[in-house]
Amino acid sequence: MECWGRMLRAFLSGPGRRGGSAYSSWRPHRPVPGLLNATELVSHWTAIFEKEGIPEAQESSEYIVAHVLGAKTFQSLRPVLRTQPLTPWQLQRIQELSSCRLQRTPVQYILGEWDFQGLSLKMAPPVFIPRPETEELVEWVLEEVAQRPHAVGAQGGPFILEVGCGSGAISLSLLSQLPQSRVIAVDKGEASICLTRENAQSYEDPAALDGGEKGMDIITHILALAPRLLKDSGSIFLEVDPRHPELVGGWLQSRPDLSLELVAVRKDFCGRPRFLHLRRSGPPRGCPVHAWPGPQPARVPG
C-alpha cells in the first residue's frame, strides 16, 4: 500500500501532466481546523468529494475513515469511536488516503483490500477489482452444484477452472463453499497470478500448511520416501516455500544415504524461489539393488 502511494505521488508530480486529464482540476484540500472526530471528518470529506465529482462520495469517505480506525465499515464502528477525538496520526492518514481518492483512485486500491462473498481479499493495481454483481455468478454456480450432486468428481467435489482469475475472488469463494472441490485459476497477467497466490495463502487450511517449526517436516518425509519410488535417475518436483530451497539443499547433504541430488531451483512469477527438481542418482547407499522395490502401481479406488 505504501509502495503504491509512492508510485502514485511520483506519477502525479511528474513532468508534463497537463490539461485533458480527468484529474487536472484537482487541488489539495486540508482538513478544516477543529475537525477532530470521525463523524465530522466523514461529513467534511463527503462535501469535498461531491464538489470534485467523486463517485459515491459519502461511501468513499466512510470507508476511508473506518479503515484508518480499524473497522470494515463506518456503521460497524462503536458509537464512542465516531465521536472521540482522533490522534494526529489518524488525521494525517485520513488526509493522505482521501487525497488519493480525489485522484479517482478506486477505494479498493486505497484500502488495499475488499470483501467478496465473505472473504477479505487483498487488492492492488493493475489487477481488476471484482464487481459486486460477480457475487451473483458465484451464487449461481453454487446453486447448480447443489442441484447436480452427480456432477461431483472422484474427490467428492467438482473440478473448477477459472480463466482470468484476477485477485482469485471467484475461485477462492467457490473453494470456501465447496472445500472438497479442485480449483485451477489461470491468468495471463503476472500481477494477477501473484495476487491470487497471496490471497490463496491467506485462506489455506492451517493444517495443510503446518510443516513443523521450519515448515520442513512434510518435505523431509517425502524426500525420505522418494528413493523407494524412484528408478535410477528418476525425478521428483516440489513446490515449496521460498525459504525452503536452501534448507532442502542442506538437509540432503546430511542424508547422502538417500542418493538424492538437488538438480535445479526455479523461481515463480513473483521472482521467488518456489520449485525444486530433485533426482535419484543411484540406489540408496547400504541397500542391495535387488532388495530395493521399484515404483508400485497406484491403486484406484473401486
Side-chain angles (χ1 to χ4, degrees):
M1 195 55 228
E2 294 296 336
C3 179
W4 162 242
R6 289 194 295 271
M7 291 167 55
L8 178 66
R9 287 192 291 272
F11 174 72
L12 294 174
S13 61
R17 290 193 58 75
R18 308 186 179 178
S21 166
Y23 310 146
S24 59
S25 64
W26 175 80
R27 295 293 182 273
H29 289 268
R30 296 181 179 179
V32 177
L35 291 179
L36 299 177
N37 66 53
T39 300
E40 291 172 326
L41 280 173
V42 166
S43 298
H44 171 69
W45 283 107
T46 296
I48 293 176
F49 291 159
E50 289 177 344
K51 180 179 179 180
E52 296 294 336
I54 302 299
E56 300 178 330
Q58 181 169 339
E59 290 83 355
S60 296
S61 59
E62 288 180 347
Y63 274 122
I64 289 172
V65 172
H67 176 74
V68 173
L69 296 181
K72 288 287 185 182
T73 64
F74 190 78
Q75 289 70 25
S76 66
L77 282 173
R78 290 184 293 118
V80 65
L81 292 179
R82 301 183 191 181
T83 56
Q84 73 179 18
L86 300 179
T87 67
W89 179 87
Q90 290 172 328
L91 292 170
Q92 177 62 28
R93 190 61 178 151
I94 291 172
Q95 162 76 15
E96 293 172 353
L97 299 184
S98 297
S99 296
C100 288
R101 184 63 183 131
L102 282 170
Q103 298 304 307
R104 288 174 171 74
T105 303
V107 172
Q108 294 89 336
Y109 289 160
I110 294 174
L111 305 184
E113 62 182 14
W114 200 248
D115 284 0
F116 185 90
Q117 282 282 315
L119 301 179
S120 182
L121 303 175
K122 293 183 179 181
M123 297 289 154
V127 179
F128 288 143
I129 299 164
R131 299 185 182 93
E133 55 266 30
T134 304
E135 296 194 28
E136 299 178 15
L137 175 62
V138 173
E139 293 169 357
W140 187 11
V141 173
L142 292 174
E143 290 174 3
E144 286 294 313
V145 172
Q147 296 173 7
R148 300 174 58 194
H150 61 279
V152 302
Q155 302 296 323
F159 181 83
I160 300 169
L161 170 65
E162 181 187 7
V163 179
C165 57
S167 63
I170 294 177
S171 291
L172 292 173
S173 58
L174 287 173
L175 194 57
S176 69
Q177 297 291 327
L178 304 168
Q180 301 302 318
S181 62
R182 292 181 296 160
V183 178
I184 294 179
V186 298
D187 201 291
K188 67 177 182 179
E190 294 185 10
S192 295
I193 294 171
C194 290
L195 188 59
T196 294
R197 181 189 295 275
E198 192 171 357
N199 280 326
Q201 290 174 340
S202 300
Y203 287 96
E204 286 186 273
D205 183 356
L209 298 176
D210 184 11
E213 182 178 356
K214 295 183 179 180
M216 286 283 290
D217 288 0
I218 296 176
I219 295 174
T220 55
H221 184 66
I222 291 173
L223 297 181
L225 292 175
R228 302 186 185 181
L229 305 175
L230 298 176
K231 294 181 179 180
D232 289 346
S233 300
S235 295
I236 180 171
F237 295 86
L238 296 175
E239 179 180 359
V240 298
D241 186 274
R243 60 184 172 152
H244 286 155
E246 184 177 352
L247 295 175
V248 169
W251 186 84
L252 287 176
Q253 290 180 3
S254 69
R255 293 294 307 273
D257 56 300
L258 296 177
S259 296
L260 288 175
E261 60 176 333
L262 180 57
V263 178
V265 178
R266 287 197 177 185
K267 296 180 179 180
D268 60 18
F269 283 115
C270 302
R272 294 174 292 191
R274 178 72 65 180
F275 310 108
L276 306 182
H277 177 197
L278 302 103
R279 180 183 296 140
R280 177 180 163 186
S281 56
R285 300 177 187 178
C287 180
V289 176
H290 66 274
W292 201 254
Q296 301 297 314
R299 293 183 179 180
V300 181

